[in-house]
Amino acid sequence: MYRVLHDTYPYARCELDFSTPLELLVATILSAQTTDVGVNKVTPTLFARYPDAAAYAGADREQLEQLLRPTGFFRAKTNAVMTLGQTLVERYDGEVPPRLKDLVTLPGVGRKTANVVLGNAFGIPGLTVDTHFGRLVRRFGWTVLDDPVKVEQEIGALFPRKDWTMLSNVLIFHGRRMCHAKKPACGVCPIARWCPSYGDGETDPEKARKLLKYEMAPA
């Protein structure tokens, strides 16, 4: 199933725009309760104005709130990135640590966010168990667990560690585009023949094709 999905989405990647580990860490925190597309509209200005951890630590709260307002929950997110900047400056000389055990001690950073940063910014394999990933691995029958940490452990045991980051990106792509929560497009799914949940969604190919969505663009 993974091999076919990998061939379907060979371009799968984290859809948050970034150029440094700090930028990805901040963007991932901002992506809570909103879309990556929405975050990507805000971050060019944000990253230009706040190029390092010290800049976030010393930010003017009102100005930062106005900049983050379009992402929703902007007051909480402002507090999160300012506190993050302060913590990075105080503990890690302003650098994002490339270790899971350190990342999860940072304000607003859990295992999901940590693995996003490790896998996509540092090239260190990690499983990103977000809502899409969790939904799909249960639909596929790979696990029956709900707890993200236990899901991460169980799925991690099924795949070589080197595949973890791409596996995460591929499943998230598939979940956003085809295997939707309410109306999965079963009729055009490339792994329908193996999926125990086939039939939960639209099975007619023409109708299913109309359900396809794209986080950024069809390409």
Side-chain angles (χ1 to χ4, degrees):
M1 293 170 80
Y2 170 57
R3 284 199 298 270
V4 171
L5 288 176
H6 186 285
D7 290 344
T8 304
Y9 308 104
Y11 46 82
R13 61 175 179 82
C14 174
E15 294 187 86
L16 292 166
D17 295 336
F18 70 97
S19 59
T20 68
L22 177 62
E23 289 183 356
L24 180 56
L25 182 56
V26 170
T28 305
I29 290 172
L30 298 181
S31 69
Q33 305 299 316
T34 191
T35 65
D36 289 358
V37 171
V39 173
N40 289 340
K41 291 178 180 179
V42 169
T43 49
T45 302
L46 178 72
F47 294 159
R49 191 171 298 176
Y50 305 97
D52 51 38
Y56 288 111
D60 178 277
R61 181 176 296 273
E62 186 174 342
Q63 291 180 1
L64 186 53
E65 283 184 356
Q66 290 305 310
L67 190 54
L68 299 184
R69 183 182 288 271
T71 68
F73 302 96
F74 63 94
R75 291 189 178 88
K77 291 179 180 179
T78 296
N79 186 65
V81 296
M82 290 181 67
T83 306
L84 173 67
Q86 293 164 4
T87 304
L88 288 174
V89 169
E90 293 169 1
R91 295 186 195 169
Y92 302 105
D93 296 324
E95 299 297 322
V96 177
R99 295 170 297 275
L100 179 66
K101 65 178 182 179
D102 294 328
L103 285 168
V104 295
T105 68
L106 298 173
V109 179
R111 290 184 68 90
K112 182 190 78 171
T113 297
N115 280 322
V116 169
V117 174
L118 289 173
N120 296 282
F122 288 112
I124 299 171
L127 287 173
T128 303
V129 185
D130 70 350
T131 55
H132 299 291
F133 187 99
R135 182 178 76 251
L136 267 60
V137 295
R138 285 185 288 274
R139 271 187 179 164
F140 296 168
W142 295 358
T143 184
V144 296
L145 301 175
D146 291 311
D147 180 82
V149 175
K150 293 181 179 179
V151 169
E152 181 184 336
Q153 293 171 344
E154 185 160 28
I155 301 304
L158 298 177
F159 292 87
R161 191 169 181 269
K162 64 180 178 62
D163 292 335
W164 287 358
T165 300
M166 191 60 176
L167 171 67
S168 300
N169 289 336
V170 163
L171 291 193
I172 291 170
F173 259 58
H174 191 57
R176 286 174 170 169
R177 288 154 175 75
M178 191 175 299
C179 194
H180 309 132
K182 294 183 178 180
K183 290 185 178 181
C186 295
V188 291
C189 180
I191 59 170
R193 74 189 78 173
W194 302 295
C195 184
S197 299
Y198 175 77
D200 286 358
E202 178 58 63
T203 58
D204 179 87
E206 291 188 10
K207 293 180 180 178
R209 193 166 290 110
K210 295 178 181 179
L211 298 173
L212 298 180
K213 297 178 181 179
Y214 302 91
E215 178 75 352
M216 299 187 72

